[in-house]
Amino acid sequence: MSFYKNILAIGVVTVCVTGCKGNLFSKHIACDDTEALLLVNQVLKDNLTNQLESELKSLISDGAIKDLDPAKLKLSAQSINFTLMDSRTEFIDPNSSKTNCSIDLATILPSDVVKKSDEARVKVDRYSTESQANDLGVDFDNNKINLTLEYTLQPSDKGDKIFTLVKNTNNFNTLISDTLTYAFLKPQIEKNQIKLKEAETKQAVNAAYEANLAAQDAAAAAAQATAAETEYYSEY
């Protein structure tokens, strides 16, 4: 999301993360494998961090955060926790070591973050968090996001690592990233609007002052013209 732009990215997020296993294991990895699920959770966190870093670069480039600490945006990601429950095996590929899985993913956005985000969105005439979720097709209710996450697991040829491919999180990730970003930007937006109002007030005062001077000059000129005309008639 480039700020002040509502971009609804649709696609597949592909991330490969490796994790060591102490023991060799069979050709396929179970969808509920503990280490595999830890990797899936880490991928989700890394994806969010990476998106926030990308957004941060854009904001800095646009000069949109002159009065804010950039580090606070990335730190805000720490308030997001991902809960994975009820994994299911969708397909075990007989021709490779890949296993396609799905699992219920739930994330609760902090209420104060959503509140700040929505207040900031109103100030810049943007969708509320709930409206954006509807637009993205994300299940969002009472600050909770639900998603049936799809992922693929595969061991390395040596059997000492797990590779995980996480799918269908693009819109899910966009909603969280945008919510955190707007909440982060709220103080800057308010400062910018105060400065804009002050500038407009100053401009209006200056305009009124100039108009008053012009009116005084016009009145003086009219008085001089009247005096000159009176003097002319007197001499006549």
Side-chain angles (χ1 to χ4, degrees):
M1 178 194 77
S2 177
F3 186 52
Y4 303 134
K5 255 180 151 182
N6 187 28
I7 299 176
L8 310 181
I10 301 175
V12 176
V13 177
T14 303
V15 181
C16 185
V17 177
T18 62
C20 295
K21 288 182 70 72
N23 301 317
L24 296 179
F25 43 82
S26 63
K27 183 178 178 182
H28 292 91
I29 303 172
C31 291
D32 62 353
D33 181 274
T34 302
E35 291 187 32
L37 292 181
L38 286 174
L39 289 176
V40 170
N41 198 293
Q42 188 59 50
V43 168
L44 294 170
K45 292 179 180 179
D46 290 346
N47 283 352
L48 178 58
T49 298
N50 291 337
Q51 185 153 343
L52 289 174
E53 287 179 348
S54 176
E55 182 58 33
L56 195 56
K57 290 179 181 178
S58 177
L59 292 170
I60 292 173
S61 177
D62 294 342
I65 53 172
K66 296 178 181 179
D67 303 313
L68 300 178
D69 180 4
K72 288 185 178 180
L73 178 56
K74 288 191 291 184
L75 286 174
S76 67
Q78 296 179 6
S79 67
I80 306 301
N81 294 310
F82 303 103
T83 302
L84 300 170
M85 295 182 62
D86 300 328
S87 63
R88 283 90 73 186
T89 302
E90 300 294 344
F91 178 68
I92 298 176
D93 191 344
N95 299 315
S96 74
S97 56
K98 294 181 180 179
T99 301
N100 294 337
C101 311
S102 63
I103 195 168
D104 292 335
L105 167 61
T107 299
I108 297 178
L109 301 181
S111 58
D112 61 322
V113 171
V114 175
K115 182 174 181 293
K116 289 178 182 178
S117 180
D118 284 342
E119 289 172 349
R121 292 169 189 253
V122 168
K123 292 179 182 296
V124 292
D125 194 26
R126 292 294 181 270
Y127 288 145
S128 67
T129 304
E130 184 175 2
S131 295
Q132 185 186 19
N134 291 334
D135 214 33
L136 289 168
V138 176
D139 182 358
F140 178 77
D141 182 44
N142 198 26
N143 297 339
K144 183 179 181 181
I145 305 175
N146 294 299
L147 174 71
T148 299
L149 176 67
E150 300 171 4
Y151 60 104
T152 298
L153 301 175
Q154 184 177 24
S156 63
D157 290 341
K158 291 183 179 181
D160 61 344
K161 297 178 181 178
I162 301 173
F163 293 84
T164 178
L165 175 70
V166 175
K167 308 174 184 178
N168 76 305
T169 59
N170 228 21
N171 290 356
F172 170 88
N173 207 44
T174 295
L175 180 65
I176 298 174
S177 175
D178 284 5
T179 301
L180 293 177
T181 300
Y182 277 113
F184 165 73
L185 286 170
K186 181 175 179 285
Q188 184 72 66
I189 293 171
E190 291 174 340
K191 286 183 180 180
N192 291 346
Q193 291 187 334
I194 290 173
K195 290 178 181 178
L196 178 61
K197 187 174 182 179
E198 289 175 346
E200 290 176 343
T201 299
K202 184 177 180 180
Q203 185 177 11
V205 170
N206 289 339
Y209 177 72
E210 293 294 335
N212 185 51
L213 286 180
Q216 290 179 6
D217 290 342
Q224 288 180 351
T226 301
E229 184 178 354
T230 301
E231 181 181 355
Y232 172 76
Y233 281 120
S234 295
E235 291 178 354
Y236 180 79

